[in-house]
Amino acid sequence: MTDPVCIQLDLQHNDRQVIQVRQCWSPTSRRLSFQLPVWTPGSYTVRDHVQHLHSLGLLSGTNPVAVKRTGPSAWSADLPDLTPLTLTYCLEARDLTVRTCYVDSSFASLCMAAVAMHVDDQRWHPHHLQVLAPEPWNVHVPLERGTDGWLASDFDALVDSPLHAGEFDLEGFEVEGHRHDLLLIGTPPGGWPDQLSSDVASVCSGVCRLMGTAPPAGDRYQLVIQMLEQGYGGLEHDHSAVLQFNWQALAKPDGRRQLLQLVGHEYLHQWNVRRLRPVEYRPYDYARPVVSEGLWFAEGITSYFDLATTLIAGFSDRSTFLKDLGQELSRVLMTPGRSLQSLSDSAKEAWVKLYKATPASRDSQVSYYGLGAATAFCLDVRLRQADSSLAEVLRELWFSHGPQGRGYSRQHIHAALDGHTPALAAELTTWLDQPASLPLKAVVADLGLRLDSVPTDRPHHGLTLKDEQGQVLVKRVASDGPGADSALVPGDELLAVNGYRLRRAADLALLLQSRSAACITYVRRGRLAETHLNPDKGVDHWLLDWDPGANADQRALRDRWFQIL
């Protein structure tokens, strides 16, 4: 049996927010190469985890070995022999997100892709994890327990297993006969919602019904919810998901439902993207960005169905589902970049655009999450018209590719659609490759619904402003708004409107209330200038609602669509 790679994490210097790492293994070659992953699977941008690393050293037995840096995150060494090696280094852990590392005196949250070193000839060898934690902390990792730590089948399994440590306990819940663990970190001011674990179990069971299988993770699944003052998001793993939510959102009327939908989203990823994976990510390449248009399917399909998870679980009704879907469609329609960037390009450019967005980004790009969800909606309705459903197609792709570990491509999605309605594959090609090609209004009408624009109740100027140190600064100028016609640009300081001093960004609407052309006094690069702004009514959002004139065929199709499963 191959000796495992042993990796030991020392969290006892938590007051300094530093992790000490010790990695030991027996080399198979005198030429050694190793690297720290440059990205975290599930978060498709280069994060350069190495920026937090220092004090790296390598020993062959007890003798130091010189290492050569071959890249920002990679090293090599020529070994004198095959004596067992010990690699040590320190990591600063000060970034509390689901894809990075954080340690303080109260708890630790580690994304192992930002911790463990990938040794070229050891990737598919077993890895043994040990953790030195301060008393009285408990350590939680979704790996098999060993006698003195945790066991991972290979490097991929290790870095796919987030680590949490602190003074908190696991709550158990059951999904389709399988034991899962719920780890709650932080407490909202009003306390955690009553019956949260049973609600989570209901949502997870609904996802299993959607996919037509028991959870692929079996009895080893760990759901982590970090409740913070600010934050929202999640990261999926084969046997875990780490969620961040904020107590301000939880306190709102829709907060509980939104938290459960986030749970449903990450739980569905257990199938879609973790095991049913785009072909470009089989296996992962941790050293570089890997472009794949399949991200629209991985995230867009999941984002569409997560809105329905609370409906499937019985925590919402049809009107609430329409409200949630309408908000998603509205965000897409309110993004000017959908006219410039296709859905396929949105996915392929994720590495350099989505995760590195600026205030102006929405004018030239669109999220493959939102547009992908809108595309999933259109696919679902078209399939319903052919007496099928998107859920059925997703299940077929799962059974043909997921359990076998086969990566899928556009051709596989087309083939799946061809089995239900051949014309839809060609239509999907247009939706993927042509910007602003999605027939949202027509599809909505097919369901006997309406998608109406709601005008703004204030003069629309197309500017996003911010108050900064007593100045009113332009943060964004919408490409299709009045501000763009006035030649204002981000960074301009607005001083006055029609001779009235502008001291707060919130006052601009008041000074433009006449909706007539206004003289704007501004400063750019230290010089005063003037321009004219012509506000209009604008669109505040889009509303998805029932059409009282829907005919019998439309209502029947709508009823079938609402079945979701």
Side-chain angles (χ1 to χ4, degrees):
M1 179 178 178
T2 304
D3 291 336
V5 177
C6 296
I7 179 167
Q8 183 186 83
L9 307 182
D10 188 346
L11 308 180
Q12 297 177 106
H13 301 277
N14 52 2
D15 55 335
R16 301 178 187 175
Q17 295 189 287
V18 171
I19 308 165
Q20 293 183 345
V21 184
R22 180 185 180 90
Q23 194 162 330
C24 305
W25 71 98
S26 297
T28 59
S29 169
R30 292 177 59 185
R31 179 64 177 174
L32 174 68
S33 298
F34 58 95
Q35 66 175 29
L36 194 67
V38 303
W39 65 288
T40 300
S43 181
Y44 306 95
T45 191
V46 171
R47 297 198 176 273
D48 287 324
H49 298 304
V50 73
Q51 66 183 298
H52 306 297
L53 183 149
H54 64 80
S55 304
L56 183 143
L58 180 66
L59 295 175
S60 175
T62 59
N63 300 315
V65 177
V67 297
K68 177 183 178 182
R69 201 160 200 151
T70 56
S73 302
W75 296 263
S76 68
D78 293 316
L79 304 176
D81 50 42
L82 299 183
T83 298
L85 299 173
T86 301
L87 178 67
T88 59
Y89 50 94
C90 294
L91 293 166
E92 298 173 350
R94 303 188 176 100
D95 191 9
L96 183 54
T97 75
V98 297
R99 51 198 168 267
T100 52
C101 296
Y102 181 85
V103 176
D104 67 18
S105 59
S106 58
F107 86 110
S109 175
L110 309 184
C111 177
M112 294 298 291
V115 173
M117 201 71 72
H118 171 216
V119 182
D120 278 358
D121 62 351
Q122 300 292 318
R123 176 168 182 175
W124 306 114
H125 290 190
H127 283 61
H128 178 210
L129 174 66
Q130 292 181 314
V131 182
L132 304 178
E135 294 291 344
W137 282 14
N138 297 312
V139 179
H140 305 279
V141 188
L143 287 169
E144 297 287 351
R145 286 302 301 256
T147 55
D148 58 347
W150 293 265
L151 301 175
S153 58
D154 51 34
F155 179 80
D156 284 28
L158 176 71
V159 299
D160 186 47
S161 302
L163 184 153
H164 291 84
E167 295 183 68
F168 30 72
D169 298 318
L170 291 179
E171 295 183 18
F173 66 99
E174 190 172 287
V175 178
E176 301 297 307
H178 292 276
R179 159 82 186 205
H180 289 0
D181 291 322
L182 176 63
L183 180 57
L184 302 178
I185 300 177
T187 304
W192 287 96
D194 295 336
Q195 300 179 325
L196 178 60
S197 60
S198 63
D199 290 353
V200 166
S202 295
V203 167
C204 294
S205 293
V207 174
C208 289
R209 294 199 301 276
L210 171 70
M211 294 305 301
T213 73
D219 292 317
R220 182 161 56 89
Y221 190 83
Q222 191 176 102
L223 178 64
V224 182
I225 304 179
Q226 300 175 4
M227 188 60 64
L228 308 174
E229 180 183 9
Q230 296 179 340
Y232 176 88
L235 187 66
E236 67 279 356
H237 303 274
D238 275 1
H239 293 271
S240 178
V242 183
L243 281 57
Q244 288 188 340
F245 208 72
N246 64 86
W247 62 67
Q248 288 93 343
L250 184 62
K252 294 179 180 178
D254 295 335
R256 187 185 187 117
R257 186 176 75 258
Q258 291 172 351
L259 174 58
L260 292 174
Q261 287 171 344
L262 180 59
V263 169
H265 182 103
E266 301 304 335
Y267 197 76
L268 178 53
H269 272 321
Q270 192 181 161
W271 289 263
N272 190 25
V273 83
R274 285 306 314 176
R275 294 169 174 86
L276 177 60
R277 193 184 300 177
V279 66
E280 294 85 356
Y281 298 117
R282 286 210 171 272
Y284 289 122
D285 185 341
Y286 298 103
R288 63 183 181 89
V290 179
V291 173
S292 172
E293 76 163 24
L295 294 181
W296 81 265
F297 191 91
E299 294 295 353
I301 299 292
T302 306
S303 295
Y304 171 64
F305 281 119
D306 77 35
L307 300 175
T309 54
T310 49
L311 179 62
I312 296 171
F315 297 133
S316 62
D317 55 22
R318 292 183 173 187
S319 294
T320 305
F321 175 58
L322 281 188
K323 173 186 172 183
D324 291 340
L325 178 60
Q327 290 174 345
E328 190 73 71
L329 299 182
S330 179
R331 281 189 286 269
V332 172
L333 292 171
M334 294 296 293
T335 302
R338 68 186 179 89
S339 297
L340 298 179
Q341 187 184 50
S342 69
L343 179 54
S344 175
D345 283 342
S346 175
K348 289 184 284 190
E349 295 175 333
W351 293 90
V352 293
K353 291 192 174 181
L354 181 69
Y355 291 93
K356 299 178 180 179
T358 68
S361 292
R362 60 182 305 198
D363 293 304
S364 60
Q365 66 186 74
V366 62
S367 168
Y368 57 81
Y369 282 78
L371 185 55
T375 301
F377 163 65
C378 292
L379 284 172
D380 197 10
V381 176
R382 289 283 193 262
L383 286 161
R384 297 283 175 180
Q385 291 170 323
D387 295 322
S388 183
S389 70
L390 183 59
E392 186 174 343
V393 170
L394 180 59
R395 287 191 291 268
E396 290 176 2
L397 280 168
W398 161 254
F399 285 114
S400 63
H401 287 71
Q404 300 86 353
R406 295 175 57 202
Y408 67 83
S409 64
R410 183 188 293 201
Q411 288 68 34
H412 297 112
I413 298 172
H414 280 179
L417 294 174
D418 278 341
H420 299 268
T421 170
L424 188 54
E427 197 168 10
L428 176 60
T429 296
T430 300
W431 298 349
L432 291 177
D433 295 336
Q434 299 300 320
S437 60
L438 206 60
L440 274 177
K441 292 185 179 180
V443 171
V444 165
D446 288 342
L447 292 174
L449 301 173
R450 296 169 56 95
L451 190 59
D452 298 322
S453 61
V454 178
T456 57
D457 58 2
R458 295 182 175 187
H460 174 244
H461 45 70
L463 302 173
T464 302
L465 308 178
K466 63 178 178 179
D467 295 309
E468 186 174 291
Q469 297 180 341
Q471 298 178 322
V472 179
L473 302 179
V474 177
K475 186 177 180 181
R476 171 181 173 258
V477 181
S479 59
D480 56 353
D485 296 333
S486 69
L488 291 168
V489 299
D492 288 346
E493 178 191 358
L494 304 190
L495 294 180
V497 179
N498 289 330
Y500 289 92
R501 185 74 167 93
L502 181 64
R503 297 189 180 277
R504 298 182 307 165
D507 293 338
L508 180 59
L510 175 65
L511 296 175
L512 292 175
Q513 62 183 340
S514 66
R515 296 188 188 271
S516 57
C519 177
I520 306 295
T521 306
Y522 66 98
V523 177
R524 181 181 298 168
R525 297 192 299 275
R527 301 193 63 178
L528 282 171
E530 289 186 345
T531 187
H532 285 83
L533 182 73
N534 293 285
D536 57 27
K537 290 185 177 181
V539 176
D540 183 73
H541 65 277
W542 291 78
L543 181 65
L544 181 63
D545 206 350
W546 312 92
D547 183 353
N551 60 41
D553 289 340
Q554 291 170 322
R555 293 195 300 271
L557 176 62
R558 187 170 66 203
D559 286 339
R560 296 198 301 273
W561 171 68
F562 271 128
Q563 298 303 312
I564 306 299
L565 302 179

